[in-house]
């Protein structure tokens, strides 16, 4: 470039990517960390910041060019109630480049339900046509809160067991009852979503 040898250079515009995550047991935070690493490894790497949903500020959302929102799924709702109230309204009028991911035990096996949960949580206007991924986490029975443990061993288990033709994800969840749990986090499964987010940079 002609100005390469000059004592000054024109300012380079850097894209800012903000990854906001809601994580209860660490699985969603792990995927957010992996995604940040993947984006920083791009040839024209953006500035990447990861922040828990409970701590994100309007100023961070305003400054970002690309906003990725990830949440663990519990009962059909991603875990970022504070985010929906204070950040999502800021993203709508700005037409930010956005992407979304959920983390649950069944992941893509529950794709239809999770797509509806994402649209309902963040509004269809903000999510329509944007990259969305549903990734798999896990269960560690020893780490579950009493509330989650009671729900999973009670109504959730009964609902799963009542399904006449359980898919593989549901069967794996049923199989993990009576064990220490199961972990289906997989960095490779994040790659297609990371590639879609990279196109927004």
């Amino acid at each position: 470039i002609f100005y390469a040898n000059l004592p000054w250079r024109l300012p380079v515009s850097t894209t800012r990517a903000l990854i906001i995550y809601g994580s209860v047991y660490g699985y969603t935070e792990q995927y957010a960390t992996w995604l940040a690493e993947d984006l920083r490894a791009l040839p024209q790497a953006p500035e990447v910041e990861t922040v828990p949903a409970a701590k994100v500020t309007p100023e961070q959302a305003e400054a970002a060019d690309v906003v990725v929102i990830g949440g663990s799924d519990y009962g059909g709702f991603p875990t970022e109630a504070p985010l929906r109230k204070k950040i999502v309204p800021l993203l709508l009028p700005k037409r930010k480049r956005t992407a979304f991911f959920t983390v649950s035990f069944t992941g893509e096996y529950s794709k239809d339900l999770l797509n509806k949960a994402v649209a309902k949580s963040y509004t269809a206007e903000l999510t329509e046509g944007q990259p969305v991924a549903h990734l798999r986490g896990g269960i560690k029975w020893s780490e579950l809160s009493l509330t989650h443990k009671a729900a999973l061993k009670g109504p959730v288990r009964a609902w799963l067991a009542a399904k006449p033709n359980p898919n593989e994800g549901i069967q794996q969840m049923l199989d993990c009852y009576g064990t220490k749990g199961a972990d289906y986090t997989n960095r490779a499964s994040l790659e297609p979503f990371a590639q879609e987010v990279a196109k927004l940079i």
Side-chain angles (χ1 to χ4, degrees):
I1 301 176
F2 78 94
Y3 60 82
N5 295 320
L6 297 177
W8 53 270
R9 295 190 181 187
L10 296 175
V12 178
S13 177
T14 302
T15 301
R16 295 182 178 181
L18 178 65
I19 302 173
I20 306 169
Y21 63 89
S23 190
V24 178
Y25 298 108
Y27 300 110
T28 309
E29 182 177 6
Q30 180 62 80
Y31 280 111
T33 300
W34 284 337
L35 178 60
E37 292 173 354
D38 290 345
L39 295 181
R40 293 186 183 115
L42 292 172
Q44 294 183 332
E47 292 181 4
V48 184
E49 182 178 11
T50 60
V51 61
K55 296 183 178 180
V56 66
T57 66
E59 290 75 20
Q60 288 173 309
E62 289 277 4
D65 302 296
V66 177
V67 178
V68 181
I69 300 175
S72 49
D73 171 68
Y74 287 95
F77 291 95
T79 53
E80 310 84 18
L83 174 68
R84 292 194 292 275
K85 292 179 180 179
K86 68 179 181 180
I87 299 300
V88 169
L90 293 176
L91 302 179
L92 279 168
K94 298 290 184 179
R95 290 298 179 186
K96 298 275 187 178
R97 286 166 274 173
T98 55
F100 304 85
F101 70 93
T102 67
V103 178
S104 63
F105 191 92
T106 52
E108 276 286 316
Y109 291 109
S110 302
K111 181 178 179 179
D112 292 340
L113 290 174
L114 292 171
N115 279 338
K116 293 177 182 178
V118 168
K120 185 174 182 178
S121 295
Y122 310 118
T123 79
E125 183 181 359
L126 191 62
T127 60
E128 187 174 1
Q130 303 305 306
V132 178
H134 304 300
L135 307 165
R136 299 194 69 183
I139 291 176
K140 295 179 183 177
W141 293 105
S142 62
E143 296 181 7
L144 290 181
S145 70
L146 292 177
T147 301
H148 285 157
K149 190 176 293 186
L152 286 171
K153 289 190 174 182
V156 172
R157 185 177 187 178
W159 178 74
L160 294 172
K163 289 190 169 295
N165 297 298
N167 60 43
E168 185 178 8
I170 289 176
Q171 187 59 55
Q172 288 169 342
M173 190 167 187
L174 288 169
D175 291 343
C176 86
Y177 284 92
T179 70
K180 292 182 179 180
D183 187 346
Y184 288 98
T185 51
N186 182 347
R187 183 164 187 166
S189 69
L190 179 66
E191 185 175 346
F193 180 67
Q195 291 175 352
E196 290 299 310
V197 175
K199 295 176 183 178
L200 302 178
I201 302 301

